[in-house]
Amino acid sequence: LGDCWIRHPACFQAAIPSMPKRLIDVGLANGSVRLCESKIRARYLTLSHCWGEGQVAMTTTLNFQDRCQEITMSSLSKVFQEAIKVTRFFGIRYIWIDSLCIIQDSRDDWEQESAKMCTIYQNALFTIAASRATTGSEGLLSQTPIHLTTPCFLPQYNFTSAIGNRINIHLAPSDKNDDPNTFVNKIDGPLHDRAWVLQEEMLSHATLAFTEAGMSWQCFSCTRSSLDPEGSNDTFRMSYLQDAIMLRQRYSRRPEILALERTDWQKQHGNMIPFQSKRDGIYADWAATVEKYLMRKVTYPSDRLPALSGVVQGMQEVLSDSYSLEQCVAGTWMYDLPRQLLWSPHWTIFQSSELLKAYEEMGGEGREKQKIRPPRKYVAPSWSWASMYETPISWGNHFWNRENEEEREWFSMLGADWDADGKSIYGNLAKATLTMQGNLMRAFVWDDGMVYESGQRRFKLGKLLLDEGGTLDGIREGGSRDVILMPVLSFKRVQTGYGIAWHISALVLLPTGIKHGEFRRIGLGLMFEKDVFDGGPQSNRFFLV
């Protein structure tokens, strides 16, 4: 930690940031701890842990006053006890633990505090990650004998690199991961299979992780571990999005700023690499984040949006300024709406190559695909990826080479209307509607999954990737079904994937039957020829729900 602050300007916290509403005070004279309201500014740590199947120590409306007086160490799990010991070891008086610092049986308190996850983890000195523990009873520390994970220094093999860096050689246990592209210091373990933990990883100022192989330290500038104590400077492992949130950067839509970015890009890359603005990089990283997030486990479908709300809040701050305020509705960014709409549970092309293996382990294309609909709780509109129930999705190659590939956006958004289901604007929604204007075309789908032009002749327009598996309102029952096609993006060059080639990506819609001009999404259409939409009727206005 001292080396990090001394050598890494980006990691140093010059001023003490604001604190969470409540913290655990570990500095009581009798060795106990207590819950306290934050009244002064002081350094604090956060704990990232698996709740597991066992009983977790929680704060409720009934025991709140008692916890403010004292919490005995014996009443806490082994993970909590050892996290408190680590906090004391570093001379820090306060630690934030979710189950103790949020009143668990108060919906109001849970919504208010969970909406602050971004600043809670950003402002902490660092996060203690119980990476190896599936429950609180297992503790932070590995049971593997320390001599089996401690590297052996081999001074006879040291050398100096061509640029003058001194390279020290250690003999260490082999990583179980055979992928040569995986970082030696990658933090993994059961904790990192949990959906809630992803935002804790992305938002933390730094992380001290307790893994099966020992300890790992990860900050903005380097990683160190028990297997690699000297560490490495590998900031390139970060993404545009994580960089921007951690460093509190701002990427504007102002034309003059985008023009400067283009000029700088051409100076560095010439015309060899298509220009990508920093905002475009952020949106692409958001897609990669969601793809990774949906590979993880979440206990309650209603947590799908709240568990990512901290990243949404941080990203919104990155993309907003006095020129424009970026809005995220149901996990969908409004200034990048065309691309954001083009997700599908059928793509096997992910923004990150490591996700393909995880996708196959989850069942791949054979995994059941279904939306969250009544009688299940409403979580998000049909056009949002968050409407899918325990189903991984991907944007395929829609975020690649957008400068050269994109030709036209086929619709205009006239407005977005949504109501939050609670106090957090980043959490679940009670309803959400997009008001659109653009081309709508009637077609029909046959049981071969192909989309045909309506009329006397059967002319293939493209392929339907249905959001849900099985039968949906007559589709896949050996007959045809009328659908509505809404073109979204067309491309200069043909796109390939899913065994076909196409020129335009479209949403496939059905009327809701509730309101005239109101539609819900049922899938994604990959249209062979874009000229079928040219000269088509322009709808004055329609609504997506």
Side-chain angles (χ1 to χ4, degrees), residues 110-119 309-310 313 423-426:
W110 190 89
E111 289 179 349
Q112 289 175 3
E113 296 306 300
S114 64
K116 301 174 184 175
M117 291 295 186
C118 182
T119 55
S309 61
Q313 183 181 354
K423 295 186 176 181
S424 174
I425 61 173
Y426 307 110

Side-chain angles (χ1 to χ4, degrees), residues 213-229:
M215 292 186 292
S216 292
W217 171 266
Q218 188 176 91
C219 66
F220 177 76
S221 301
C222 77
T223 60
R224 293 184 180 180
S225 70
S226 300
L227 296 178
D228 183 15

Side-chain angles (χ1 to χ4, degrees), residues 470-485:
T471 300
L472 179 63
D473 296 341
I475 297 176
R476 304 284 197 271
E477 288 186 341
S480 65
R481 173 63 194 261
D482 286 341
V483 296
I484 301 297
L485 300 179

Side-chain angles (χ1 to χ4, degrees), residues 405-436:
E405 298 295 342
E406 178 188 327
E407 181 179 68
R408 176 180 171 185
E409 297 178 4
W410 285 75
F411 70 89
S412 299
M413 188 185 75
L414 303 180
D417 177 55
W418 70 97
D419 290 335
D421 183 23
K423 295 186 176 181
S424 174
I425 61 173
Y426 307 110
N428 290 326
L429 302 178
K431 67 172 185 176
T433 303
L434 297 179
T435 304
M436 318 285 271

